[in-house]
Amino acid sequence: MVTEPDESDLRTLEERARDARRPRADEGDGLVVCDNLVRVYRTEEVEVQALQGLDLVVEEGECVALVGASGSGKSTLLSILSGLDLPTAGRARVAGHDLLTMGRRERLGYRRQTVGFVWQQTGRNLLPYLTALENVALPMKYTRVPRRVRASRAAELLDVLGVTHCRDRRPAELSGGEQQRVAVAVATANEPRVLLADEPTGELDTASGEDVFAALRRANEELGATVLVVTHDPLVSGQVRRTVRIRDGRTSTETLRGPGGTVTEEYTVLDRAGRLQLPRDYVDRYGLHGRVRLTAEPDHVGVWPDGSDRRDGAGDADGEQW
Ligand SMILES: Nc1ncnc2c1ncn2[C@@H]1O[C@H](COP(=O)(O)OP(=O)(O)OP(=O)(O)O)[C@@H](O)[C@H]1O
């Protein structure tokens, strides 16, 4: 028997069709692109430059850890990418949405469908009077997913993220780690292209933190979300392929890891003025400080401690080749 789709089914289908027609300006240019991003907080007495010309490109499908000292601007960046905060200047584009110019309606749709968010504070992610299943189903109500689809997708997400046993419990009846895994399910309910997490394991013990990180990885690998996770947890940053370090409101160095977590490549960002920051352990390892000597080689630049007499540019333990 063929049944007629009801009105809400049709609305959902129309919305999906409209969404599919929207230009994908991001394609081929990074799913997340920040270009010279600036965020200045002004209060009556002080002005804080939280982001000072940050550049970042994240490709679709990546799982990236953002690390950096307290106050370096990590949460500010995530707030901007989540559509909650507006940059002061620069360019920020996520999945074809220009975060500086988008209007109220587009911003609402962006926050409901394009990005998902997991906060550090477990209590901030879930509504206390709803069960885990109801919490996960709720965001789909706002995007007008039909009721029966909401329930089955919520159950499926709880299953993928390993928290099926929590489905009929309220947040107060869950451990911190279980709450955060349910929070990942809530954040991925509307199939966002980008999942943002601000220290999601910060309040947890090591074992629960690993479970939550495994949930984020599943969201990345099995549900297809591109993941950006702010973390102070070396266990998390040691397990992702790419770690981006933020220093004084700018991206400074990047580490790429191969299978098994071994570091395969280190990068640094050359800013518009031609300045670059060397990774701290390189500076220490090669005793670089103050003035350093540069050698121009056919295909790279050598950086040597001042006073070293090496001039041929061949790699040895006294300098660093770039
Ligand atoms: N609403 C605000 N008003 C004024 N200053 C702010 C505001 N939010 C953040 N800042 C300042 O901006 C700078 C960057 O803060 P941010 O929270 O982004 O850093 P962070 O790297 O996430 O730090 P942490 O690791 O401690 O969370 C800090 O100096 C902070 O005090």
Side-chain angles (χ1 to χ4, degrees), residues 41 43 48 50 68-76 199 232:
Y41 293 109
T43 61
V48 180
S70 179
S72 55
K74 305 178 298 294
S75 300
T76 302
E199 295 195 42
H232 284 292

Side-chain angles (χ1 to χ4, degrees), residues 50-51 54 56 66-69 72-74 77 244-253:
L51 298 181
L54 179 138
L56 178 69
L66 296 171
V67 301
S72 55
K74 305 178 298 294
L77 173 63
V244 175
R245 180 167 294 277
I246 297 186
R247 195 159 142 187
D248 299 332
R250 289 196 198 109
T251 37
S252 60
T253 57

Side-chain angles (χ1 to χ4, degrees), residues 276-311:
L276 56 77
Q277 271 178 358
L278 298 178
R280 181 85 252 159
D281 59 324
Y282 284 20
V283 170
D284 295 342
R285 196 187 322 162
Y286 299 108
L288 301 169
H289 53 84
R291 195 175 71 155
V292 292
R293 188 164 55 76
L294 301 181
T295 56
E297 306 301 331
D299 58 352
H300 67 274
V301 177
V303 181
W304 306 85
D306 194 14
S308 102
D309 55 7
R310 186 71 189 236
R311 291 192 186 276

Side-chain angles (χ1 to χ4, degrees), residues 36-314:
N36 207 16
L37 204 58
V38 175
R39 176 63 167 107
V40 179
Y41 293 109
R42 286 194 183 91
T43 61
E44 274 176 22
E45 306 92 53
V46 286
E47 185 179 285
V48 180
Q49 297 203 0
L51 298 181
Q52 306 184 33
L54 179 138
D55 296 320
L56 178 69
V57 176
V58 178
E59 299 296 340
E60 178 128 46
E62 280 195 278
C63 181
V64 178
L66 296 171
V67 301
S70 179
S72 55
K74 305 178 298 294
S75 300
T76 302
L77 173 63
L78 247 53
S79 294
I80 290 172
L81 295 180
S82 70
L84 276 175
D85 190 20
L86 264 175
T88 312
R91 209 165 67 98
R93 208 158 41 73
V94 178
H97 298 271
D98 184 331
L99 303 194
L100 274 91
T101 60
M102 70 182 171
R104 207 184 62 82
R105 255 181 103 93
E106 185 183 349
R107 186 169 294 274
L108 192 65
Y110 172 80
R111 293 192 47 207
R112 284 182 176 165
Q113 286 194 289
T114 308
V115 284
F117 207 97
V118 180
W119 302 93
Q120 173 178 5
Q121 300 86 352
T122 50
R124 205 171 162 184
N125 292 312
L126 304 174
L127 289 174
Y129 49 85
L130 297 183
T131 64
L133 190 83
E134 288 163 347
N135 264 290
V136 182
L138 188 64
M140 292 184 261
K141 193 170 173 185
Y142 297 133
T143 54
R144 301 209 186 96
V145 174
R147 184 189 291 267
R148 60 177 183 281
V149 179
R150 295 203 292 262
S152 62
R153 176 156 168 82
E156 194 184 305
L157 279 169
L158 291 175
D159 184 36
V160 171
L161 300 171
V163 272
T164 297
H165 59 284
C166 303
R167 58 173 283 159
D168 297 321
R169 294 197 225 151
R170 293 195 169 80
E173 298 157 343
L174 304 174
S175 71
E178 286 168 341
Q179 286 185 44
Q180 290 302 70
R181 282 188 280 162
V182 173
V184 175
V186 172
T188 48
N190 281 323
E191 304 176 54
R193 292 183 71 189
V194 182
L195 177 59
L196 305 165
D198 196 350
E199 295 195 42
T201 64
E203 290 185 349
L204 306 176
D205 60 60
T206 310
S208 312
E210 274 184 23
D211 288 343
V212 172
F213 181 60
L216 285 176
R217 207 151 46 188
R218 250 175 246 151
N220 175 244
E221 291 169 1
E222 292 174 35
L223 306 174
T226 299
V227 174
L228 267 81
V229 52
V230 165
T231 185
H232 284 292
D233 186 344
L235 257 174
V236 173
S237 54
Q239 287 184 59
V240 295
R241 194 178 120 70
R242 180 176 174 207
T243 300
V244 175
R245 180 167 294 277
I246 297 186
R247 195 159 142 187
D248 299 332
R250 289 196 198 109
T251 37
S252 60
T253 57
E254 281 196 20
T255 304
L256 293 189
R257 289 187 169 77
T262 48
V263 174
T264 54
E265 283 169 284
E266 291 272 4
Y267 287 87
T268 190
V269 177
L270 189 68
D271 75 11
R272 278 151 212 273
R275 289 178 293 237
L276 56 77
Q277 271 178 358
L278 298 178
R280 181 85 252 159
D281 59 324
Y282 284 20
V283 170
D284 295 342
R285 196 187 322 162
Y286 299 108
L288 301 169
H289 53 84
R291 195 175 71 155
V292 292
R293 188 164 55 76
L294 301 181
T295 56
E297 306 301 331
D299 58 352
H300 67 274
V301 177
V303 181
W304 306 85
D306 194 14
S308 102
D309 55 7
R310 186 71 189 236
R311 291 192 186 276
D312 60 11

